[in-house]
Amino acid sequence: MAPALKLVCESKICDLIPCDQRSKRWEASGILVKDSCYYVVFDDRTEMARISDDLRPNGKNGLFGMSHLVWGYEGITYNADKRRYYLLVE
């Protein structure tokens, strides 16, 4: 039998990044772990979030991308050879 996972820390995304839309729903749909950060994409927004892996508010955390578009993303990955992020649109 595989060992059970143990929750060691949790935080709401809106509490970790500076933003004006705290009441709006955050539908995270994809995540990438890279360079001690979590990169999160959302179904309901076009910005990508970068959140430090300690899950605490700090200067590394933020939203990046084109906030004026109407669709979001389903997934994210990174190609180290080309140094490019790829975002999947459904």
Side-chain angles (χ1 to χ4, degrees):
M1 185 170 152
L5 295 176
K6 179 181 174 185
L7 177 65
V8 294
C9 182
E10 69 179 316
S11 296
K12 292 185 177 195
I13 291 173
C14 65
D15 294 338
L16 297 174
I17 55 177
C19 67
D20 297 336
Q21 303 169 356
R22 295 212 177 269
S23 63
K24 194 172 181 184
R25 185 176 168 94
W26 296 76
E27 290 187 41
S29 58
I31 187 165
L32 168 74
V33 180
K34 180 182 175 308
D35 300 331
S36 300
C37 289
Y38 299 114
Y39 294 85
V40 184
V41 294
F42 305 93
D43 281 343
D44 59 343
R45 62 183 66 225
T46 55
E47 299 103 339
M48 174 175 66
R50 181 180 60 205
I51 301 169
S52 65
D53 66 359
D54 63 1
L55 295 180
R56 298 184 188 275
N58 68 45
K60 277 181 143 179
N61 300 350
L63 290 174
F64 306 91
M66 301 172 285
S67 63
H68 63 280
L69 299 176
V70 294
W71 65 84
Y73 300 105
E74 292 296 321
I76 180 173
T77 192
Y78 181 75
N79 182 323
D81 290 337
K82 294 185 178 186
R83 296 178 13 198
R84 290 184 182 218
Y85 293 90
Y86 295 94
L87 305 174
L88 174 68
V89 176
E90 184 176 35

